[in-house]
Amino acid sequence: MGRRQYLDWLRGVAVLIMVETHLVDAWTRAPDRSEAAYRWAMFVGGFSAPLFLFLAGIALALAAGARTRKGAHLSEAAALARRRGWQILGLAFLFRLQSFAISGGVFPQTLLKVDILNVMGLGMLLAALLWARGRRLSSRAAWLAAVAVLVVLATPIVRAMALPSWLPYPLAWYLQPVPDSGAFTLFPWLAFLLIGSAVGLWLDAAGTGTEERRVVVALSLAGPAVALGAYAATFLPSMYAGTPSWSASPSIFFLHLGVVMTAIPAAYAWRRRASGWSPLREFGVASLFVYWIHVEMVYGIVSLPLHRALGFEQAMAAYAALCVFLYALVKLKDRGLRTLAPSHPRTLAP
C-alpha cells in the first residue's frame, strides 16, 4: 500500500495544536489566563504531544514492515529503526544547542533540557528493540503493549520515589519532572510511542484497502471504549498512595490514549471525503521543520516583547497569522529542496 495520507493529515492537526499551545502559553498576559477560553485552549493543546508520539510509533512500525517486505532481514530492519531513533535523539541536542546559541540560557542545563524529541528518540530505540524480539505480528504487538502498560503503571511510583544522590541530574530529568528541566519525562510519555508502534503493526498487516478499513473500524470502537473506561476510572479510588498528578495518573493517560486512537479513524474518514490538496497534510509532512523553527519564534528572544503581553483574543489572532507565515515557510522550503534536487539523467536512446 502507498503512503497513508490521513496519517500525514492528522500529524498536521497535531502541528496546529502544538503551535497554538506554545503561542498562547508564551504570549497571553497573566489576567487572561484565568479565563475559560484560555483553559480550553490549553486543554486541547494537551493532546498534541500524545498525538506526535503515537504517530511516530505508527510510522516506525510501518517503515520497518516496508523494509522487510522489500527483502531486508529482520535484524537489518531493526537496525535501521534504531538508527532513526539515534538520529532523532541527536536532533534533540542539536535543537537545544540552537536555542542556546540564539536566546542563551544557563549552561549546561539549557543544552540538557528534556523535550519531546528526547523522549521520541529514546522511545524509537526501545520500540525497535521490542519489535525485533518477536518473530510474528502478535508477539511483537504483545511486547510493545506489555512494556507500555508497565511504563504507565510504574509512572506514579517513579515520580514519587527518592532518586539516589549519585544519579546525575540530567538523567534524573528523564525520570521525574523538575522545574526548568522540561515538561517531558520517559514516564509515561514513552508509552504513547510504544502503543503507537503496536497499532502501526496492525495497520502494516493490512495489505488491502478492505483490510485497512477493518482496522480503522476496530480503532473507532476501541478508542472510545478506552477513553470512556478511563474517564469512569477517574471516579474510583486510586490504587496508589496519595493522588498522582494528572500527567502521572494511569486513568488520565488512557483517557488521552483513547482520544488519540479515535483520531485515527476520524482522520481516515475526513480524508476519504476531502481528498486532494490539503495544507494540513503539508504541515504534517513538514512537522519536524515546523517544530524546529516555531519554538524559537514563540519562546525565544526574537519575540521577547510579546511574552505575556497579549490578551487572549490578540494571542489567537497572532496564532492565525503565525500559521499562515509558517505555511509560507514550508512552501518556500519545499521549493528550495526541489530546486536543489538533481535532475534525472537523460536516457541514452539508440
Side-chain angles (χ1 to χ4, degrees):
M1 295 184 66
R3 188 180 180 101
R4 292 166 169 86
Q5 297 189 6
Y6 62 93
L7 297 179
D8 292 329
W9 184 89
L10 184 57
R11 193 177 292 107
V13 173
V15 167
L16 290 188
I17 297 174
M18 170 186 66
V19 176
E20 173 260 316
T21 307
H22 290 164
L23 186 144
V24 170
D25 172 61
W27 293 4
T28 303
R29 62 192 178 192
D32 289 41
R33 291 172 179 265
S34 60
E35 294 183 0
Y38 174 84
R39 293 196 298 270
W40 274 107
M42 300 309 292
F43 171 77
V44 173
F47 288 95
S48 62
L51 262 176
F52 276 124
L53 293 169
F54 190 78
L55 291 171
I58 291 178
L60 190 74
L62 291 176
R67 292 186 181 104
T68 55
R69 284 192 298 276
K70 291 179 180 179
H73 191 268
L74 176 67
S75 59
E76 182 183 359
L80 291 173
R82 291 195 301 271
R83 184 184 305 170
R84 181 58 176 167
W86 285 116
Q87 289 172 349
I88 295 296
L89 188 60
L91 288 175
F93 290 105
L94 183 61
F95 174 77
R96 285 295 158 200
L97 178 61
Q98 170 193 274
S99 178
F100 180 78
I102 296 176
S103 298
V106 180
F107 181 85
Q109 287 87 338
T110 301
L111 301 180
L112 301 174
K113 184 177 179 181
V114 180
D115 212 333
I116 188 171
L117 290 181
N118 302 73
V119 175
M120 187 178 294
L122 292 174
M124 287 181 170
L125 288 172
L126 179 58
L129 292 172
L130 295 173
W131 182 87
R133 288 192 66 86
R135 297 293 175 179
R136 296 178 299 175
L137 171 66
S138 57
S139 59
R140 291 172 184 165
W143 272 106
L144 290 163
V147 174
V149 171
L150 286 176
V151 168
V152 175
L153 296 179
T155 297
I157 301 172
V158 173
R159 294 283 184 94
M161 67 187 297
L163 297 179
S165 58
W166 51 262
L167 186 67
Y169 69 87
L171 297 181
W173 287 355
Y174 285 89
L175 301 177
Q176 294 180 350
V178 177
D180 299 325
S181 68
F184 294 93
T185 56
L186 295 179
F187 297 83
W189 297 100
L190 195 69
F192 284 112
L193 191 142
L194 297 179
I195 297 178
S197 297
V199 173
L201 290 174
W202 198 5
L203 283 170
D204 185 62
T208 64
T210 301
E211 292 175 346
E212 185 172 23
R213 282 192 294 273
R214 290 173 183 167
V215 174
V216 170
V217 170
L219 287 173
S220 70
L221 298 174
V226 171
L228 290 174
Y231 178 72
T234 60
F235 296 97
L236 301 176
S238 175
M239 65 180 182
Y240 300 94
T243 303
S245 64
W246 77 267
S247 61
S249 169
S251 298
I252 299 300
F253 171 87
F254 285 108
L255 178 60
H256 280 74
L257 177 64
V259 173
V260 168
M261 291 173 63
T262 307
I264 300 292
Y268 179 87
W270 178 262
R271 287 300 293 161
R272 292 270 295 180
R273 293 176 61 87
S275 58
W277 173 76
S278 171
L280 276 178
R281 181 179 176 273
E282 295 185 65
F283 264 135
V285 173
S287 59
L288 180 59
F289 172 76
V290 176
Y291 170 82
W292 197 277
I293 63 175
H294 95 280
V295 172
E296 193 61 35
M297 291 180 183
V298 170
Y299 286 109
I301 195 172
V302 294
S303 61
L304 190 60
L306 298 174
H307 293 183
R308 303 293 182 97
L310 302 182
F312 179 77
E313 292 77 11
Q314 293 172 317
M316 293 304 295
Y319 161 64
L322 180 61
C323 286
V324 173
F325 180 64
L326 290 172
Y327 182 71
L329 291 180
V330 169
K331 299 297 289 185
L332 185 64
K333 183 262 300 181
D334 291 342
R335 180 179 300 178
L337 290 178
R338 286 195 298 269
T339 302
L340 295 174
S343 58
H344 296 290
R346 294 181 178 180
T347 302
L348 298 178

